[in-house]
Amino acid sequence: MAWSMLRSASGSGFASQIENLEEWAGYSVGIERAVTLPASWYTSPLALQLEKQHVLYNSWQMVCDVGRLQQPGDFVCGSLADVRYLIVRGEDGQLRAFHNVCRHHAAAVAQGCGNQLQFQCPYHGWTYDDKGRLVKATRLKGIKDFKATQFGLHPIDLYVWGHFVFLHLQGGKPAAAAAAAAAAGGGQQGQLQTPSVAEWLGAGGVRLQECGMADVQLLHIARREYVLGCNWKVFCDNYLDGGYHVPYAHADLASGLDLSGYTNELHEVLSIQSCSVKQGGSSSSSGESSSSSSSSSSGGAQLDRLAGGRDAAYAFVYPNLMINRYGPWMDTNVVLPYSGSSTDRCRVVFDYWLDAAAVQQAAATVEGSSSSSSSSSSAERDSSCSTGGGSAAGSSSSGSLAGSSVIEAARKSAFVRDSLASSHKVQEEDIALCQAVQLGLQEPAYGVGRYAPGPEAPMYHFHSLLYGAVMRGTREQQ
C-alpha cells in the first residue's frame, strides 16, 4: 500500500505524521519469510487513529456480562476508547445500546450503573426513554425544522453471545449507521445490519464453547484494571507469542504447565493456545500462576486453581479480547488504547469468573459463612460501577447458582485471595515486559524483527487481520 493512499485517507491534519507510517513488508508473505509489523505502527498517532476507526470501532467488542442487566431498567455505562456507551434493558425486556451523548450539546446522559427507564441529561434536562427516544426537551419555543423523532440517542448494534454482551460501533459513524438501518427497513432501534457475533466467530465460536468459555455455570468474582505505558498492540503481542516468553518471564507458571505440548490453532477471527497441566500443577490466573495449590477444602476435597479435567486454554478474539479457561477459573481481558491520541498508553480490564461448584466450596472454608444457594431474587451485582477501559462492571449471569452471601464469602476465601494475588504478580511481570518493549520500539535502533514460526503464529495472524482491516478501510475511503 503506497503512502499516498494513506495520506489521502488521513487528511491534511496528519500529513506531517504519515511519513512515520510504513507499509508492512510481511503482509501476505507467510510467517516463515515475514518481518514483524513495523515499529511505527506502535508509535504513530495516525496508526492509532486508523486502528480505532477500521479495527476497534469496526469489530465486535465485549463489554460486560448479560447478568449485569437482568431486570427492566438495569443499565450500565462504559467507554470503548473515545466512545461512550449506555446499555439498558427496556421495560419490554429488550436490551438496547446507545451512544451516551446527548443530542443537544453532547453531555453524557447517564453515569455508572443502576436501574431507571429514563435518562435526563444533567446539562439542560433533555430526557430519553429506554428505547433512546427523546421524550422531553424544554424551552424550545421558536425552534424551526426540529422533530423530536430525529433527535433520539444514536443506537449501537448489540448482541449477546453466551453470557457476554458485545457492541459494534459501525466504524464510529453512528449517524450513517442509523440511516442505513432505517433504509434497510426500520428494524428495532439498536439492532443494525451487522453479522451476528455467532456468524462473526464462525467455527471458532464452537471451539470457544468446547473450551468452556461460554459456560453459564460461572460466577463473577472480581475485577482488576491496569494502566500500561505501552501501545495496546504490545499487550496483545505479549499474549500471542505461544508461550514463548513464559519459561523466561514467569517461573511459577512454567512450573505448572506442560509447555512441551503447547499448541496453537487459528480460526478466522480468533486463535486458541492450549497446553496440559502438570500433575499437581500450580495455580493459574489469566494464563498465569502462583507457586502452589490452595489448601482450601470442603468435605475433604482440595481446591486447585488449574485442576479440573481440562487443558489450560487461552483464546484471543480479534482484535482485543482474551478469554482464559483453566480448572474452575475463567478470566476475560479487554485491552484498549487510552482515550485521546496517546500511542504509548493503554488500559486492560480483567474480570475473573469461578465455577459455581468451586464458589460453594471456597465459601464453605470461610468461618461463619453459609454455602446455601437457596436465596437471591436477582443476580449478584458487583459493587463497583467502574467502566473504564472498555468493559462495564460484571456480575454473575445467574443468581440461582449461588446466593450473594455465598459469593461474598467465596471472595474472602484464601483460595480466591491467593488466586488473585498470583494473577496480580504475573500482570506486574508482564507490565514490565510490555513497557520495556514500548521503549525499544521508540528507539531508532529497531525497525522490524522476525517471527518464530511455531509459537508466534497467533501473533502473525493478529497482525495480518489488523493490517488488512486498515488497508481495506483506507481504500474504501478514497
Side-chain angles (χ1 to χ4, degrees):
M1 180 63 60
W3 288 355
S4 60
M5 176 178 289
L6 289 176
R7 187 187 299 274
S8 173
S10 66
S12 59
F14 283 84
S16 63
Q17 301 167 5
I18 191 63
E19 63 184 24
N20 296 320
L21 189 60
E22 306 169 42
E23 294 181 77
W24 179 30
Y27 185 56
S28 296
V29 302
I31 191 172
E32 297 82 3
R33 292 183 173 85
V35 294
T36 57
L37 193 66
S40 60
W41 282 72
Y42 297 82
T43 61
S44 166
L46 174 59
L48 180 60
Q49 179 205 23
L50 295 175
E51 288 165 358
K52 287 179 181 179
Q53 181 177 354
H54 301 302
V55 177
L56 298 169
Y57 298 164
N58 204 31
S59 60
W60 284 106
Q61 296 283 313
M62 193 278 284
V63 293
C64 68
D65 170 42
V66 72
R68 194 68 191 87
L69 298 154
Q70 287 197 327
Q71 304 300 320
D74 282 351
F75 76 91
V76 293
C77 301
S79 62
L80 292 166
D82 301 321
V83 178
R84 297 169 296 177
Y85 62 80
L86 162 66
I87 306 173
V88 60
R89 187 172 292 280
E91 196 168 18
D92 59 2
Q94 295 296 312
L95 275 180
R96 297 178 179 87
F98 307 97
H99 287 267
N100 189 11
V101 179
C102 181
R103 296 293 304 281
H104 181 217
H105 286 320
V109 302
Q111 301 286 340
C113 59
N115 184 280
Q116 60 192 65
L117 291 169
Q118 289 197 345
F119 302 91
Q120 184 180 78
C121 178
Y123 196 2
H124 299 102
W126 283 36
T127 304
Y128 305 84
D129 68 9
D130 57 313
K131 294 182 174 64
R133 298 175 298 194
L134 179 63
V135 295
K136 181 181 179 182
T138 62
R139 304 184 69 174
L140 295 184
K141 184 178 180 180
I143 195 170
K144 298 180 180 180
D145 301 322
F146 174 82
K147 294 182 179 179
T149 56
Q150 297 175 350
F151 279 83
L153 297 175
H154 283 306
I156 298 175
D157 204 1
L158 178 151
Y159 193 89
V160 176
W161 183 85
H163 51 157
F164 298 127
V165 177
F166 286 81
L167 301 181
H168 198 298
L169 295 177
Q170 303 291 321
K173 298 179 178 179
Q188 179 182 346
Q189 189 176 30
Q191 301 295 321
L192 307 180
Q193 303 303 310
T194 303
S196 71
V197 172
E199 294 170 330
W200 180 62
L201 293 175
V206 176
R207 284 291 293 125
L208 295 181
Q209 292 174 326
E210 291 172 351
C211 292
M213 295 176 178
D215 188 353
V216 296
Q217 303 296 312
L218 291 164
L219 298 171
H220 187 266
I221 295 297
R223 154 168 296 214
R224 299 288 185 268
E225 297 186 14
Y226 297 88
V227 176
L228 282 68
C230 68
N231 186 273
W232 70 278
K233 298 188 298 298
V234 171
F235 184 85
C236 295
D237 293 350
N238 180 71
Y239 184 89
L240 291 169
D241 72 356
Y244 199 174
H245 75 285
V246 171
Y248 308 99
H250 306 308
D252 287 344
L253 175 60
S255 70
L257 300 175
D258 181 8
L259 296 176
S260 66
Y262 210 101
T263 62
N264 297 320
E265 57 182 279
L266 305 180
H267 298 272
E268 185 174 358
V269 296
L270 63 89
S271 60
I272 300 175
Q273 306 170 66
S274 60
C275 65
S276 59
V277 178
K278 290 181 180 178
Q279 288 291 83
S282 61
S283 63
S284 176
S285 197
S286 184
E288 320 299 2
S289 69
S290 71
S291 59
S292 63
S293 299
S294 170
S295 61
S296 303
S297 62
S298 176
Q302 187 180 50
L303 281 170
D304 188 281
R305 300 179 186 91
L306 279 179
R310 69 171 79 240
D311 288 347
Y314 311 111
F316 179 83
V317 181
Y318 172 82
N320 61 334
L321 168 64
M322 287 136 272
I323 311 175
N324 310 294
R325 193 74 165 96
Y326 41 90
W329 284 98
M330 182 180 79
D331 65 71
T332 58
N333 322 146
V334 177
V335 57
L336 282 163
Y338 233 64
S339 60
S341 59
S342 176
T343 62
D344 60 355
R345 222 175 162 211
C346 66
R347 185 189 301 273
V348 188
V349 178
F350 288 74
D351 280 297
Y352 296 89
W353 314 76
L354 188 58
D355 181 87
V359 169
Q360 296 278 354
Q361 195 173 343
T365 69
V366 178
E367 183 177 358
S369 70
S370 170
S371 61
S372 171
S373 61
S374 60
S375 67
S376 189
S377 59
S378 63
E380 176 270 337
R381 294 173 181 266
D382 196 299
S383 61
S384 171
C385 284
S386 172
T387 55
S391 294
S395 73
S396 66
S397 57
S398 176
S400 64
L401 295 176
S404 59
S405 61
V406 175
I407 296 171
E408 287 302 320
R411 287 170 174 156
K412 298 175 183 177
S413 69
F415 172 66
V416 168
R417 293 199 313 269
D418 290 348
S419 294
L420 297 180
S422 299
S423 176
H424 177 68
K425 175 179 179 292
V426 182
Q427 304 325 313
E428 289 185 321
E429 294 168 350
D430 276 332
I431 287 171
L433 292 172
C434 290
Q435 293 183 161
V437 167
Q438 184 67 33
L439 290 175
L441 290 167
Q442 295 169 175
E443 293 187 19
Y446 187 88
V448 295
R450 294 295 300 267
Y451 298 96
E456 294 184 323
M459 188 190 305
Y460 182 66
H461 183 245
F462 164 55
H463 291 168
S464 298
L465 290 172
L466 179 140
Y467 187 85
V470 170
M471 293 301 102
R472 286 191 301 272
T474 54
R475 185 181 301 117
E476 291 168 0
Q477 285 184 334
Q478 283 191 308

